[in-house]
Amino acid sequence: MKTAVERERAFRDDLAALLKKHNAELAVTDDGRSYGMHRGIAEVTMMSEWDEDHNQTAEYVEFRI
């Protein structure tokens, strides 16, 4: 049986690998509503990518999950 600590570690390792694979950042914030009414949100940001010839190979994207 996997312990809670082992499951958390495996999840964190997988998440870190996924973010690294996509060169992404994960930010946890709120939706900006007033105190007591806000909800948590997670935003993923992936910057534009360029090759050595300065051609864009991937667009910038930011989205909520």
Side-chain angles (χ1 to χ4, degrees):
M1 179 178 82
K2 290 182 182 178
T3 67
V5 171
E6 291 170 331
R7 292 183 75 195
E8 179 182 349
R9 173 55 45 209
F11 179 87
R12 288 178 180 273
D13 289 348
D14 289 349
L15 179 58
L18 180 63
L19 293 171
K20 183 176 180 178
K21 174 183 175 182
H22 293 280
N23 195 26
E25 295 180 10
L26 176 65
V28 178
T29 186
D30 64 65
D31 61 5
R33 289 186 174 182
S34 61
Y35 180 78
M37 300 298 291
H38 56 272
R39 295 181 300 147
I41 57 172
E43 295 178 337
V44 175
T45 303
M46 295 188 287
M47 303 305 287
S48 298
E49 296 179 4
W50 307 84
D51 64 16
E52 55 279 344
D53 295 323
H54 307 288
N55 297 309
Q56 189 174 14
T57 59
E59 292 183 340
Y60 170 88
V61 65
E62 182 175 284
F63 56 92
R64 293 179 175 180
I65 55 173

